[in-house]
Amino acid sequence: WGYSYSDDLQFMIHDQYVGGVIMYGAQMHTFEQTKDDIARMQKEARMPLLISSDEEGGFVQRIMNIYGDRPGALQTYETGKIENAAKLGHSIAHDLRALGINTDLAPDVDVPVVTGPDLYLRTWGYTPQSVITWGGTYLRAVQGDGEIACLKHFPGLGAASTNAHQDLPVVDRSQDELYSTELAPFKYFVQSHNKLENPGMIMTTDVLMPAIDPSMPGELSHTFVTDILRHKFGYNGVVITDALYMLGIAKKWSIPQAVVLAIEVGVEDVREAQD
């Protein structure tokens, strides 16, 4: 919707009943402008809006124009001080809430198996346990401060050597490998007895894992979204997709086709903007 509050945005919010808006750096120039735009969105909406942004720190940060640079997941992990993960989470939650952004599309809980193109500096260490420990500390801080957090990128991009923005990654690993590594953090957080570790959202993404579903990428897979995430792991929160115009999806399906497929497999919300 460009660089300011637009007629198109107004129409979508007021007349088409959208339930959420994602904010990017290009739409957030100053504190007052951003806060005012978001307040206007909420005033014009027929229902309270989910206002989200990808704010991980480091390589993926959208509010840098307003608040400046901050470290990301891997930088924080490499300090060796777990309290820094909580500090980062509290800092991000505070700054997002001040703007009116109520949903942080983080943390990234991918487990790096290879040095992939999508995860540069974005992971909480290098093992399922480090991701659970450090990512969990961040998650508790963010949600404890009243933000909705979103785990990503289900079912996992840690072994993807292809950038999903350019083509569909294919991960040829066994079911045992996938469950013990890529899927392990998602299962842990969904089933955690600590409510602050239960994510309000989970973001699915474009990756094909033939050992589990040989034909459909994760975000369009009934096997992954409903059979595994919903039924096997027991997740009852909101599931959203990653950007459906990324070429991992768009080379085969148009956005309208992908939206229908995503909803059919159990996704509540679809995302048409780039991650």
Side-chain angles (χ1 to χ4, degrees):
W1 42 279
Y3 295 92
S4 63
Y5 199 103
S6 67
D7 291 340
D8 287 343
L9 176 63
Q10 172 68 14
F11 179 73
M12 292 180 70
I13 290 174
H14 188 267
D15 298 303
Q16 295 187 321
Y17 308 105
V18 299
V21 174
I22 184 168
M23 302 290 291
Y24 285 90
Q27 287 90 43
M28 296 188 284
H29 305 288
T30 69
F31 179 87
E32 289 301 330
Q33 166 263 319
T34 303
K35 185 175 181 180
D36 289 348
D37 279 355
I38 291 172
R40 181 178 173 188
M41 293 178 208
Q42 294 287 20
K43 181 180 178 181
E44 298 292 340
R46 303 294 184 93
M47 65 187 81
L49 293 171
L50 294 171
I51 307 291
S52 68
S53 194
D54 295 281
E55 188 56 39
E56 303 174 20
F59 188 63
V60 178
Q61 47 188 330
R62 311 303 190 202
I63 56 176
M64 187 170 61
N65 292 343
I66 299 169
Y67 292 106
D69 185 49
R70 71 183 94 212
L74 190 59
Q75 293 166 279
T76 302
Y77 170 78
E78 288 178 342
T79 68
K81 298 178 179 179
I82 191 71
E83 61 268 25
N84 286 339
K87 181 180 177 181
L88 179 64
H90 289 306
S91 170
I92 287 175
H94 174 272
D95 291 349
L96 292 177
R97 283 173 58 83
L99 292 168
I101 297 172
N102 53 37
T103 303
D104 184 17
L105 299 178
D108 185 324
V109 295
D110 293 302
V111 181
V113 176
V114 301
T115 303
D118 277 321
L119 301 181
Y120 178 68
L121 300 179
R122 299 174 69 185
T123 62
W124 295 99
Y126 304 95
T127 67
Q129 190 55 56
S130 71
V131 169
I132 288 169
T133 301
W134 288 74
T137 301
Y138 175 95
L139 178 63
R140 292 192 301 273
V142 168
Q143 296 204 140
D145 285 352
E147 284 286 301
I148 299 166
C150 177
L151 302 184
K152 57 190 185 187
H153 304 83
F154 182 84
L157 289 174
S161 56
T162 300
N163 188 329
H165 294 89
Q166 300 168 358
D167 208 346
L168 180 63
V170 179
V171 172
D172 284 315
R173 285 161 58 77
S174 70
Q175 286 197 25
D176 287 346
E177 288 172 323
L178 294 169
Y179 274 100
S180 64
T181 303
E182 283 92 331
L183 292 168
F186 295 99
K187 180 181 179 181
Y188 172 84
F189 290 122
V190 167
Q191 298 182 353
S192 173
H193 294 296
N194 185 336
K195 296 301 182 184
L196 293 180
E197 289 188 337
N198 301 147
M201 286 187 184
I202 292 179
M203 182 190 296
T204 57
T205 198
D206 335 6
V207 61
L208 188 69
M209 295 176 169
I212 293 178
D213 188 334
S215 60
M216 299 299 282
E219 61 193 353
L220 304 182
S221 168
H222 189 278
T223 300
F224 274 112
V225 176
T226 294
D227 296 346
I228 294 176
L229 184 58
R230 294 291 194 196
H231 295 163
K232 191 166 189 174
F233 291 175
Y235 183 63
N236 63 1
V238 173
V239 178
I240 68 173
T241 71
D242 208 334
L244 291 179
Y245 73 73
M246 298 196 310
L247 294 182
I249 293 295
K251 280 186 176 182
K252 186 169 182 180
W253 297 280
S254 68
I255 286 181
Q257 289 172 327
V259 167
V260 172
L261 287 169
I263 292 170
E264 287 178 344
V265 303
V267 174
E268 284 86 9
D269 194 9
V270 293
R271 178 173 173 181
E272 298 176 15
Q274 182 178 350
D275 179 16

